[in-house]
Amino acid sequence: MDKNSKIYIAGHRGMVGSAIYRKLEKEGFTNIITRVSADLDLRSQQQVADFFASEKPDYVFLAAAKVGGIIANNTYRAEFLYDNLQIQNNVIHSSYVNGVKKLMFLGSSCIYPKFAPQPLKEEYLLTGLLEETNEPYTIAKIAGIKMCDAYRAQYGCNYISVMPTNLYGYNDNYHPQNSHVLPALIRRFHEAKEQNLADVTIWGTGTPKREFLFADDLAAACYYLMQNYDEEGLVNVGTGEDLSIKDLALLVKEIIGYTGEIKFDSSKPDGTPRKLMDVSKLHSKGWKHTVELKEGIKLAYQDFLNLLK
């Protein structure tokens, strides 16, 4: 990618897309094209075909997706499958038709089987049954990986797939019901501190372990891989390090300065015991994360406070 390349970021307003946008701007790219969903519905084959025919981007970052937490995934099963398949099919096919030089498809760590061995290696894809609650979303993401590989095999397209671990950072979603665990903890401890609550109750036992990557680190990895990775299949992007939900809660509590007690409601579900990415393939390609969790949570909390203003 040279600095004059025309780059299309699909999903530029989300946490991942906006991080990629910031990274490209920082690296001196000026020819970045974006569209909000009101102007370009990526689920519409005709709209996407017309957009690609008129804009002719050189490179595409496909970060657009219909996303949500467990409740949303389980409730809107048809939408999560249909919308995500439509978005991918349209963008990937139109990229091929219009001669895009390279496309990056962003998936999710949920593509791996529910009971896959830990840490999760790339070759574990399709070796077992999926987590039922978000199966429609997962099926769509797996289809996206396989579509990139199919267009590579049949048409020689240089389309690559990256699978990030749990993300957090600037522009995150702090919705009380729909947010993921880290932003949810930031919000709850902040509100408990503001309201002087004696304790905060967290679902489950606190023993499941999770891995977290700062979204700007993911953007740096995407930028690096777009220039240095040209293979079929997929590459995991994470830190290769995890911690228990209890330790995460203690860390967030400390950063926010909440002095009350943490309680765990063990009658509530824990979810998967562990979801750690094997990032040896990524490290072998020459990239490693730079933002450690404590530093990243401080940055995310500052961003959350700015959202409240």
Side-chain angles (χ1 to χ4, degrees):
M1 289 194 302
D2 62 59
K3 297 290 189 280
N4 300 317
S5 302
K6 189 183 238 190
I7 302 173
Y8 170 48
I9 304 173
H12 73 286
R13 291 202 295 190
M15 182 166 60
V16 173
S18 61
I20 291 171
Y21 192 101
R22 282 194 302 277
K23 175 64 177 171
L24 290 173
E25 273 197 324
K26 190 176 153 194
E27 296 293 339
F29 289 83
T30 52
N31 200 358
I32 306 170
I33 40 175
T34 60
R35 290 289 187 280
V36 295
S37 50
D39 297 330
L40 173 61
D41 183 350
L42 293 176
R43 297 169 301 179
S44 162
Q45 188 178 31
Q46 192 61 57
Q47 285 187 37
V48 175
D50 292 346
F51 167 75
F52 271 84
S54 64
E55 289 291 346
K56 297 280 185 189
D58 300 308
Y59 296 89
V60 173
F61 288 92
L62 178 42
K66 182 177 182 66
V67 295
I70 291 175
I71 298 164
N73 269 286
N74 206 16
T75 309
Y76 306 109
R77 294 178 74 88
E79 277 175 61
F80 270 83
L81 188 52
Y82 178 82
D83 288 2
N84 284 306
L85 284 172
Q86 290 290 97
I87 291 166
Q88 296 161 197
N89 287 346
N90 294 336
V91 173
I92 293 169
H93 185 71
S94 283
S95 292
Y96 156 64
V97 170
N98 292 281
V100 165
K101 290 175 187 167
K102 192 168 184 178
L103 174 144
M104 175 179 282
F105 173 70
L106 284 122
S108 157
S109 58
C110 70
I111 58 157
Y112 291 108
K114 184 174 184 175
F115 300 112
Q118 303 288 325
L120 298 162
K121 295 178 188 285
E122 285 88 355
E123 58 262 32
Y124 296 163
L125 182 67
L126 294 176
T127 57
L129 294 172
L130 303 166
E131 162 61 49
E132 297 85 358
T133 52
N134 60 3
E135 189 185 72
Y137 175 78
T138 305
I139 291 283
K141 288 296 177 185
I142 293 171
I145 296 166
K146 293 300 182 185
M147 192 168 180
C148 286
D149 286 350
Y151 276 64
R152 174 184 289 276
Q154 188 172 343
Y155 303 123
C157 299
N158 191 5
Y159 296 171
I160 61 174
S161 299
V162 300
M163 300 303 119
T165 187
N166 298 304
L167 300 167
Y168 70 101
Y170 302 123
N171 213 6
D172 206 342
N173 170 19
Y174 293 94
H175 189 279
Q177 274 82 47
N178 298 339
S179 60
H180 294 111
V181 62
L182 211 166
L185 288 174
I186 288 175
R187 181 181 180 133
R188 291 185 61 198
F189 280 116
H190 173 79
E191 289 177 350
K193 179 186 170 184
E194 292 292 293
Q195 296 160 24
N196 244 342
L197 300 181
D199 54 65
V200 169
T201 302
I202 293 168
W203 273 32
T205 60
T207 56
K209 298 183 90 169
R210 292 291 181 268
E211 174 186 17
F212 298 94
L213 180 71
F214 195 60
D216 285 58
D217 260 348
L218 171 64
C222 290
Y223 178 70
Y224 182 84
L225 292 167
M226 201 63 154
Q227 297 172 96
N228 297 288
Y229 180 78
D230 301 297
E231 298 168 25
E232 66 172 356
L234 59 144
V235 58
N236 288 338
V237 181
T239 62
E241 302 159 8
D242 61 0
L243 80 169
S244 70
I245 297 298
K246 181 182 179 180
D247 286 339
L248 177 69
L250 289 167
L251 187 57
V252 174
K253 176 188 168 180
E254 178 199 329
I255 287 164
I256 288 172
Y258 172 66
T259 53
E261 198 185 338
I262 301 176
K263 292 183 174 175
F264 291 93
D265 181 357
S266 55
S267 70
K268 295 287 194 291
D270 262 342
T272 313
R274 196 176 192 198
K275 272 176 73 176
L276 178 65
M277 295 284 232
D278 183 309
V279 288
S280 48
K281 183 174 176 179
L282 178 67
H283 288 175
S284 74
K285 299 294 171 195
W287 188 89
K288 190 177 187 299
H289 76 283
T290 58
V291 181
E292 295 302 339
L293 189 58
K294 189 169 184 176
E295 178 196 348
I297 294 172
K298 285 179 181 174
L299 294 169
Y301 182 45
Q302 197 51 56
D303 190 54
F304 171 73
L305 294 176
N306 292 337
L307 292 174
L308 298 179
K309 288 176 184 172

